[in-house]
Amino acid sequence: MRDIVPIASTNYDSFVMMVHPSSPAKTVSEFIAYAKANPGKINLGSSGTGFLGHLAGELFRMTTGIEWVHVPFRGVPGAHAAMLAGEVQVMFDSVASSLPHIQSGALRALGISAKTRMRVLPDIPSISDSVPGYEVTGWLGFGAPKGTPPEIIEKLNREISTILADPAIMHGCSNWGAFRLRARVPTSPSSSPRRPKSGPRWSNSPA
């Protein structure tokens, strides 16, 4: 907040709750029942302590009252490798990085953290269907060091907004799970972005 000047936000990501195919749970409700029957015997993998995948898992744990052991890794590849090997049994990760493993059948998706289903995973329900009120989204964007000249911030914002408005870019991003995009314009180099009157956006819901 103090050291970074906002340039533009790009997309909002949903997360997917995944288990190893050997898991007896095929739905979120079945996973909750299995976890409650086996307290402390499930390992939650994450890309690191405090990362959003970890926090998404902790919110799920607190909301459902289950218990598990958090096993943090140094990045997504290590966590995925442990999931594929069956060393951890559940993971909350971005749809973009998880999609290839889900599509290949190497990992089983139980639910997504958005409130509505996603076009790229139309058969996977929202976790909130089984856990009312559960929702986790993450956002990505660009920033620059404090003190960057205003004209540079404005130029970068214009160029990024132009790229994001490209239909090919929007289509490509929606294919890896970015469910909404909207260009945002800083009011000044030292303030937070404001909502624009117009800008590129999309929804990744089936509608």
Side-chain angles (χ1 to χ4, degrees), residues 19-48:
V19 295
H20 190 270
S22 62
S23 171
K26 293 182 172 57
T27 66
V28 173
S29 296
E30 288 180 358
F31 178 87
I32 295 172
Y34 177 77
K36 288 185 175 180
N38 296 273
K41 295 182 179 180
I42 295 175
N43 293 326
L44 167 73
S46 80
S47 59

Side-chain angles (χ1 to χ4, degrees), residues 14-102:
S14 281
F15 288 73
V16 58
M17 178 182 181
M18 304 176 294
V19 295
H20 190 270
S22 62
S23 171
K26 293 182 172 57
T27 66
V28 173
S29 296
E30 288 180 358
F31 178 87
I32 295 172
Y34 177 77
K36 288 185 175 180
N38 296 273
K41 295 182 179 180
I42 295 175
N43 293 326
L44 167 73
S46 80
S47 59
T49 301
F51 282 79
L52 198 50
H54 172 214
L55 299 182
E58 287 302 297
L59 178 62
F60 184 89
R61 181 187 64 80
M62 294 169 62
T63 305
T64 59
I66 64 175
E67 292 296 334
W68 53 34
V69 178
H70 175 224
V71 183
F73 292 85
R74 293 183 177 180
V76 172
H80 279 184
M83 275 288 292
L84 294 170
E87 296 172 357
V88 295
Q89 291 73 47
V90 62
M91 182 177 178
F92 292 75
D93 191 30
S94 69
V95 173
S97 60
S98 304
L99 197 58
H101 297 308
I102 295 171

